[in-house]
Amino acid sequence: MFGQLPQQLEIGFPPSAEMGHFAVGCFPLAKQFHKSPAEIAQLIADRLKPDTVIEQVTAAGPYVNLKIDSEVLFGDLCRRIIHQDAAYGTSDAGRDKRVMVEYLAPNTNKPLHLGHLRNGALGMAVSSMFEATGHRVVKANLVNDRGVHICKSMLAWQRWGNGTTPESEGIKGDHFVGNYYVRYSRETEKDHRLEDEVQQMLQQWEAGDPQTVKLWKMMNGWVYDGFTATYRRFGLEFDVFYYESDTYKLGKDVIQQGIENKVFSTDSNGNTVFVLPEEAFGRDKSAELKKVTVLRPDGTSLYISQDIGTAILKINDHNLDYSIYVVGSEQEYHFKCLFLILEALGYAWARNCYHLSYGMVYLPEGKMKSREGKIVDADDLLTEMIKLAEAEIRQRDPEGRLSENEIKNRSEVIGVGAVKFYLLRVRPAQSINFDPAESISFDGFTGPYCQYAYARICGILEKTHWPRQADADVDYSLLGNMEELQLLQQLSRLPGELKKAVEDFNPSKIAVYIFNTAKAFNQFYNKHPVLKAENEQLVNARLGLIRATAVVLKKGLNLIGVEVLENM
RNA sequence: GCGCCUGUAGCUCAGCUGGAUAGAGCAACGGACUUCUAAUCCGUAGGCCGCAGGUUCGAAUCCUGCCAGGCGUACCA
């Protein structure tokens, strides 16, 4: 279409569709021809003669705005979208590349909370985005199933559980265990000797004491039952689980090798340490180079030692090209060190490890603290949202036409979609101030708003037989009003937005894009009838346009893990 | 002290690889349902883009300094 224009020029959109369908900024040519961008734009506009495709060329300041023949403009894109369907916007840019997305990493001593939901929503969205760009994605969950915190719940249950189980009490397993974690925290304030007992239990666990291991397995089993239910409800999927109980001793061999190769050194306390480069880390309070300990003097490992081992394990297990860690921003320092150490150890792939860091979720009262019970529980929040959605659905169905099953299904899709969208609509680096009132809203920049636009389209398509005639015979040249143009322009953006979202590891780009697309549709919908358009030809053309819109909305929402409904 | 992140409308945020008059949502006010789903749409109002310099034809965007908030700063995970 623009073969006649120099290639370095970028094609964008004018601020208003009235000005033209495409805009070409002439800035790059200014230097080359020693003329102002505006002069060049005028020159091009004068030279470029309209033809069958390009209907009008106008210079507007430094831009050349082009108007394109409607049949080409609309027909091209709508036909392509409808034809490609779910493949629209995808690419094979990452073909043959294997990428692991590690996310969630829950502890098995308490239920999931709002922070986990943000992590999970991000993990799933990023995975989908990478899949949509042709990557082979392995979704991994590194379960933190051992350690002193797990023993706390275990000890409390042993002491005060009286042999009860989640079944006997009718409580979801993870919540059941979490209650004992809270119980431990309460009791230990009164009786500090419990702390010694917990340490003892941890030692017994590490020694493989059968009783302790049995208790551990049983209680973790309860937690997994609970987690599995929440995963299913929130739409979290994993291809592989790593358990810290299997991996916590990893890394020692590599570190030993690193010592021999002088990657690590020993400090005055006998710790095995890695000295951090000054350029990236500066110096500490006493003006010394900063260090990170990778082994204690007694040879026991630390968080980072395990992570070194696990990183290598993951690469070897799955032959990865990229390894992504979805972990909160408070661990940026840790991952910076980890990747640096891996590189120092000679692993070239360390450069292909990424920490997808995301900001905290703050509550109105402050940061979430599980021990103080000041958290937003994941299950509670989802239940609450689903209930609100249900109330809305029932209000819209006063005659009670919907089956209970249908109401349940819709409530879940809407409620869960609202939570995911709320957590994904801001970029990951941004911390979220969790506003309960705003989070439960279904109006405006929300998931349900986007789902609603999709459902409205389905409502129209349901009432007709699409295509009413052969797709090729639809006369798209009839389209071209402002709302149609703006909607079309939005539809054309998906591939580019997906590409940017993947490059930045930023699902919020998709969320924003989908919202804008839904809005463009609603604006069109409110102003122009589809089925009752002036004539049959126009009806068909508009049906094509909204059919394409439905494809884009569904695709975009699915990319960020939000499901769609044909009726709302 | 050092490192990273953040600062844009009353509130929550887009925009940040420099380009057309800085955009949305919420909240406020006013309008549109005998018309394909009003979970919608239209309108009004609301901005020294933290501050000060610099680079540039052009800066919310890049650079420097400062101010404010958050996170982290090995021997917890």
Side-chain angles (χ1 to χ4, degrees):
Chain A
M1 202 180 286
F2 299 106
Q4 304 158 63
L5 292 170
Q7 283 190 340
Q8 73 250 46
L9 293 181
E10 275 191 24
I11 298 167
F13 300 110
S16 150
E18 247 162 9
M19 301 167 74
H21 303 136
F22 296 99
V24 182
C26 298
F27 308 102
L29 298 179
K31 283 200 177 97
Q32 199 176 323
F33 294 101
H34 302 290
K35 282 188 163 63
S36 80
E39 278 179 275
I40 292 172
Q42 192 58 54
L43 222 64
I44 293 176
D46 292 342
R47 288 261 189 99
L48 204 57
K49 291 277 172 280
D51 59 22
T52 51
V53 175
I54 300 174
E55 287 186 328
Q56 196 189 91
V57 186
T58 45
Y63 291 91
V64 177
N65 292 334
L66 306 169
K67 281 197 177 171
I68 308 299
D69 174 72
S70 283
E71 170 56 33
V72 176
L73 188 68
F74 285 85
D76 241 41
L77 188 65
C78 289
R79 289 196 183 95
R80 194 166 77 238
I81 293 171
I82 293 165
H83 176 72
Q84 293 192 333
D85 200 34
Y88 175 64
T90 63
S91 75
D92 62 351
R95 192 184 34 210
D96 301 332
K97 296 290 182 197
R98 299 179 62 89
V99 44
M100 177 173 283
V101 177
E102 183 207 292
Y103 73 99
L104 207 68
N107 292 344
T108 59
N109 63 331
K110 53 184 190 252
L112 304 176
H113 56 69
L114 182 52
H116 289 112
L117 292 186
R118 185 177 194 187
N119 185 304
L122 271 171
M124 281 303 290
V126 167
S127 298
S128 308
M129 280 157 41
F130 271 85
E131 271 164 12
T133 44
H135 298 81
R136 290 281 309 277
V137 175
V138 182
K139 296 188 280 283
N141 189 354
L142 176 54
V143 184
N144 192 326
D145 65 338
R146 65 160 285 282
V148 69
H149 50 298
I150 314 291
C151 291
K152 288 175 181 175
S153 311
M154 285 161 62
L155 185 76
W157 182 81
Q158 206 175 42
R159 281 273 190 117
W160 300 288
N162 294 321
T164 54
T165 65
E167 293 78 39
S168 76
E169 303 307 294
I171 302 174
K172 199 161 162 281
D174 49 341
H175 289 262
F176 180 85
V177 172
N179 289 344
Y180 286 97
Y181 182 70
V182 173
R183 178 73 184 266
Y184 169 88
S185 300
R186 272 213 319 271
E187 299 286 347
T188 194
E189 275 171 31
K190 290 181 276 180
D191 181 2
H192 294 291
R193 283 172 304 180
L194 284 173
E195 288 165 25
D196 298 332
E197 285 188 43
V198 162
Q199 286 301 334
Q200 238 173 359
M201 189 177 248
L202 182 61
Q203 279 170 23
Q204 282 167 349
W205 181 87
E206 293 198 1
D209 171 59
Q211 283 301 103
T212 311
V213 169
K214 194 179 162 203
L215 175 65
W216 172 74
K217 278 191 177 159
M218 179 177 73
M219 290 186 72
N220 273 356
W222 292 340
V223 172
Y224 294 141
D225 289 344
F227 282 177
T228 304
T230 307
Y231 296 166
R232 196 176 308 130
R233 197 182 193 198
F234 198 55
L236 304 182
E237 292 162 6
F238 300 99
D239 304 305
V240 54
F241 286 84
Y242 285 106
Y243 295 93
E244 210 191 286
S245 54
D246 295 329
T247 62
Y248 80 109
K249 285 179 176 164
L250 291 178
K252 288 190 190 180
D253 299 348
V254 202
I255 291 169
Q256 203 53 49
Q257 244 175 349
I259 294 171
E260 284 161 27
N261 296 334
K262 306 265 190 285
V263 174
F264 304 113
S265 51
T266 308
D267 75 357
S268 52
N269 299 325
N271 290 314
T272 304
V273 298
F274 181 79
V275 180
L276 298 165
E278 188 179 1
E279 312 88 74
F281 291 86
R283 288 174 180 261
D284 66 13
K285 286 164 196 158
S286 41
E288 300 271 323
L289 284 175
K290 291 192 177 182
K291 295 171 287 195
V292 50
T293 302
V294 294
L295 278 184
R296 292 198 187 91
D298 63 3
T300 53
S301 59
L302 292 116
Y303 178 40
I304 194 140
S305 354
Q306 305 169 29
D307 262 9
I308 292 168
T310 310
I312 297 165
L313 178 73
K314 294 201 295 192
I315 298 281
N316 291 343
D317 278 357
H318 297 281
N319 189 27
L320 302 174
D321 296 289
Y322 302 102
S323 195
I324 298 170
Y325 296 77
V326 183
V327 182
S329 61
E330 68 273 18
Q331 295 202 32
E332 271 171 19
Y333 187 85
H334 169 78
F335 282 106
K336 219 168 134 185
C337 294
L338 175 66
F339 299 156
L340 212 60
I341 290 171
L342 287 168
E343 199 175 340
L345 285 168
Y347 297 106
W349 47 256
R351 288 197 203 98
N352 294 331
C353 292
Y354 297 97
H355 174 204
L356 201 183
S357 164
Y358 61 91
M360 306 230 158
V361 181
Y362 293 100
L363 297 185
E365 314 86 59
K367 192 183 167 182
M368 289 183 287
K369 291 205 178 73
S370 56
R371 269 176 306 175
E372 296 167 21
K374 275 188 189 173
I375 53 155
V376 174
D377 178 80
D379 292 316
D380 290 353
L381 177 68
L382 291 173
T383 301
E384 177 70 11
M385 291 298 289
I386 291 166
K387 247 199 259 172
L388 283 165
E390 186 186 327
E392 180 79 31
I393 292 164
R394 287 192 191 277
Q395 205 185 329
R396 297 162 140 260
D397 179 38
E399 289 156 40
R401 281 187 221 163
L402 297 173
S403 70
E404 285 305 305
N405 246 348
E406 181 62 23
I407 291 175
K408 186 167 171 280
N409 178 49
R410 286 189 195 182
S411 311
E412 277 173 16
V413 171
I414 295 166
V416 171
V419 174
K420 284 188 179 175
F421 200 93
Y422 178 78
L423 294 170
L424 289 174
R425 66 183 196 171
V426 302
R427 61 186 200 278
Q430 184 74 245
S431 58
I432 294 178
N433 294 300
F434 183 75
D435 179 341
E438 192 186 61
S439 73
I440 61 173
S441 166
F442 296 155
D443 300 326
F445 187 15
T446 66
Y449 175 93
C450 302
Q451 290 171 323
Y452 185 59
Y454 179 81
R456 278 176 140 181
I457 295 173
C458 292
I460 297 173
L461 295 176
E462 212 172 58
K463 291 180 175 61
T464 185
H465 299 287
W466 170 264
R468 286 188 171 187
Q469 58 187 100
D471 183 32
D473 295 338
V474 175
D475 182 6
Y476 285 100
S477 72
L478 299 168
L479 302 178
N481 65 48
M482 189 57 51
E483 288 72 25
E484 288 162 348
L485 279 170
Q486 249 142 24
L487 179 54
L488 186 83
Q489 202 176 79
Q490 269 304 121
L491 300 184
S492 74
R493 286 184 152 122
L494 179 61
E497 293 300 319
L498 174 59
K499 185 164 176 275
K500 276 194 278 181
V502 169
E503 280 166 2
D504 296 352
F505 297 80
N506 183 0
S508 81
K509 300 240 185 224
I510 306 284
V512 170
Y513 166 74
I514 285 303
F515 171 66
N516 285 330
T517 306
K519 196 167 67 166
F521 167 74
N522 277 326
Q523 285 169 334
F524 161 77
Y525 177 92
N526 269 274
K527 201 158 172 188
H528 307 287
V530 176
L531 295 177
K532 289 174 186 165
E534 293 97 88
N535 59 69
E536 181 78 5
Q537 294 303 309
L538 187 56
V539 169
N540 283 328
R542 285 188 176 156
L543 280 171
L545 178 63
I546 66 166
R547 179 80 190 84
T549 306
V551 168
V552 168
L553 288 175
K554 182 178 182 181
K555 182 67 188 175
L557 285 170
N558 287 347
L559 278 171
I560 56 171
V562 177
E563 288 181 64
V564 293
L565 289 166
E566 255 121 67
N567 286 290
M568 273 176 79

